[in-house]
Amino acid sequence: MTTPDDDTPAPAPCPICGKPAVPEFKPFCSKRCADVDLQRWLSGRYAIPGREEDALGQDDGSREE
Ligand SMILES: [Zn+2]
């Protein structure tokens, strides 16, 4: 997901629709896309009841807290 060329000043495009992201909804282009991503994230997180073993192998590097 991340690229080695991380020193580029260009903002990353919205991961939902690909439009240029805006600071207000970074890294998304709008609240709508941010909400869409949030729903996906929550779905992927809570749609798997009692599968902690799988959870350990699901680390996709998204640690941006
Ligand atoms: Zn978007």
Side-chain angles (χ1 to χ4, degrees), residues 14 17 29 33:
C14 175
C17 68
C29 71
C33 283

Side-chain angles (χ1 to χ4, degrees), residues 25-53:
F25 299 109
K26 193 176 181 180
F28 308 101
C29 71
S30 64
K31 188 179 188 304
R32 181 181 178 86
C33 283
D35 194 60
V36 170
D37 185 79
L38 178 63
Q39 292 301 321
R40 288 184 181 181
W41 192 85
L42 292 176
S43 296
R45 184 129 180 149
Y46 296 119
I48 310 173
R51 291 294 293 252
E52 293 188 343
E53 289 185 4

